[in-house]
Amino acid sequence: MQKKIIVIGGGFGGLSAAVRLAAKGHDVTIFDKRDKLGGRAYQYELDGFKFDGGPTVITAPYIFDDIFEAAGKSRHDYFELKPLDPFYRIFNSDGEYFDYMRNEEDILKQIDRWSPADKKGYLKFTENTVDIFSLFHPYTDKPFLTFKKMLNIMPGVIRLGAYKGTYRHVRKYIKHKFLRKVFSFHPLLIGGNPFDTPSIYLLIMQFEKEWGVHYAVGGVGSIIEGFRKLMDDLGVKVRLNSEVERIVVDHQKVSAVQLKDGSIHEADIVISNGDVAFTYRNLIPESSRRKYSNRSIDRKSYSSSLFVIYFGTKKRYLDSKLSHHNIIFGKEYKKLMREIFKGSKLPDDLSLYLHMPTISDESIAPDGCELFYVLSLVPNLKANINWEEIAEEYKDKVLSYLEEHYLPDLKENIVTEHYIDPPHFQNTLNSHYGAAFSFTPSLLQSAFFRPHNRSEEFDNLYFVGAGTHPGAGVPAVLSSGKIAAELIDPTPQNGAG
Ligand SMILES: Cc1cc2nc3c(=O)[nH]c(=O)nc-3n(C[C@H](O)[C@H](O)[C@H](O)COP(=O)(O)OP(=O)(O)OC[C@H]3O[C@@H](n4cnc5c(N)ncnc54)[C@H](O)[C@@H]3O)c2cc1C
C-alpha cells in the first residue's frame, strides 16, 4: 500500500532513502532547510569555482549503483566516477611523503622507502584487516535493532582484537612511528580519534582497497545533481528553504511535521536525516521521549568539529609536491588528537587534509586557476571556543602554514575564498554541539548502541544519516537509507521505478 513519507533533510542518507522508497511507489517529500540539496555535500559555486563543501573521497561505487538500479536506472547515465591512485599522499611534519596506493605491491614499495623491516608486519596487518572486513561488512547495510545481534558479533570482535583502539592495534604490527599514523588515520574520516576508535572501523580501509577511491567528475555536486534528476524521474517532491521546526507526535506515533512557516504536513512515516541528537532534542518535546532525555543526549560523546577553508588561486600549483588528496600530519599527533577530541581550547599544532581536485578535473575552476580546500579538525562546541572572535585569525594561521610549506605566494594569488566553522555545523546544519560527524564511533556508540534506524521512541519515525547505524561517511549514510527503506517496506526492490 502506498504510504505518504516525509524525509527531513536532503543529505546523502535522505536521498538514498527517498529514492528507494519512491521506487517502490511511495509518495515521498523531502524538506530541507537549505537552498540546495546535499547537506554536508553542499557545493559552493563562487566566482567560477565549484567547491565541494564536504565529502571528497568517494568509495564503494557499488552502493550508488545499487540505489540507481533499485529505481530501474543506471548510475552511469547520471554521473561519472573516476578512480584515483594514489588514494592519499600523506606528509610528515617535515614535508616527506608516503603515497598510499591501492595495489599491495605499490604499498610495499612505499614501506620499503620508509622502513623495510615493517613489510612483514604490514602483510600480517592486512590479513587482520581483511578478516575484520569479512566479519563486519555484511552488517553495514542491515538493521541493528537487537542486542542479540550484538552478542553474535562480539566473539569475532574479541578474536580479531577489533575492540582495541586503532592506533594501538596498528602499533602491534608496524614499528615505524610515521607508518603507524599512515595506517591508523582512517577513523578521522568518520569523526573518530584514532587512539580511541575501535579497530572494527579499519573495515573502511578495506572498503577502499576492494572498490578503490574515486573522484566524481565535476565534483561531488555532480552526484547530488544526479540524485536530483533521478528523484525528478521518480516524482519525489523536493521542498528547499523549508526547515522543519517540529515533529507532531501522538503517543507512540508521529503524524506530521510542522515547518518554520507554520504549515503542517501530514505523513504516515517520517524519516529524519537531520542530526539525531538535534532531531530528538529540538523537534520532539522532551515529555514525549522516554529513552532520549536531553540529559542523556548531552552526555553522549560527540565527534570533533571542522574548520574548512575553500579557496581558489589565479595561479596553478602543478609543480608542487601535492596530489589530489593530501594528508599533512603535524608534529605531536597524539597530543593534538587529545586536544581536539577532549580539549577545551584550540590546539597550537595543525594536522590538515588538503584537497586539490583541479589536478584531476580542470572543469571545476576558471582557466589557469587551481581549486583547493583545506580542512582542519577542531574541537566541537562543547569546548566553548569563541569562533566569532578567532575564526579570521585561525584561517590566516592555516593559510600561512600552507604558504610557507606547500603553496608559495599563496595569499597574493587567492582570488576567492569561503570558510565554514563549528557554528556553521550547529546553526546551518543543525548539528548538536557543531559536531561534524555526529556521535563518535566508539564501541558503545556503534551498531546496536547507536540510535537505531527505526526510532526507539516512535513506531513510524526512522533515522538515516551519520548519527544512526552504520555511522558517518558517504557509504555508511547511503546504507542507512537502504536499511530504513527496507524496514519501512520490506517488499523486494523491483527496479521498476
Ligand atoms: C568537510 C567534510 C568532509 C568530509 N569528507 C568525507 C569524505 O571525503 N568521504 C566520506 O565518505 N565522508 C566524508 N565526510 C562525512 C560525510 O560527508 C557525512 O557523514 C555525510 O555526508 C552525512 O550525510 P547525512 O546523510 O548524515 O546528511 P547531512 O549531510 O548531514 O545532511 C542533513 C541535511 O538535513 C538538513 N536538515 C537538518 N535539520 C533540518 C530541519 N530541521 N529541517 C529541514 N532540513 C534539515 C540539513 O540542511 C542537511 O541538508 C565529510 C564530512 C565533512 C563535514
Side-chain angles (χ1 to χ4, degrees), residues 8-14 31-34 38-41 53-58 189 242-245 273-275 278 283 306 308 310 373 375 420 425 428-430 436-437 464-466 472-475 477:
I8 306 171
F12 271 122
F31 290 106
D32 198 296
K33 64 177 287 204
R34 299 188 84 180
R40 279 152 169 82
T56 57
V57 178
I58 298 297
L189 301 181
S242 302
E243 179 163 3
V244 173
E245 194 171 54
N273 180 213
D275 183 64
F278 186 94
L283 304 187
L306 299 172
V308 190
Y310 311 91
Y373 98 36
L375 175 159
I420 59 171
F425 286 94
T428 305
L429 286 160
N430 290 1
F437 305 87
V464 294
V474 175
V477 302

Side-chain angles (χ1 to χ4, degrees), residues 40 51-57 306-312 324-326 352-357 371-376 402 418:
R40 279 152 169 82
F51 295 100
D52 281 329
T56 57
V57 178
L306 299 172
F307 190 90
V308 190
I309 312 165
Y310 311 91
F311 57 99
H324 185 123
H325 296 296
N326 306 280
L352 304 172
Y353 160 70
L354 179 61
H355 187 216
M356 185 179 171
L371 180 152
F372 296 93
Y373 98 36
V374 59
L375 175 159
S376 172
L402 291 178
H418 176 67

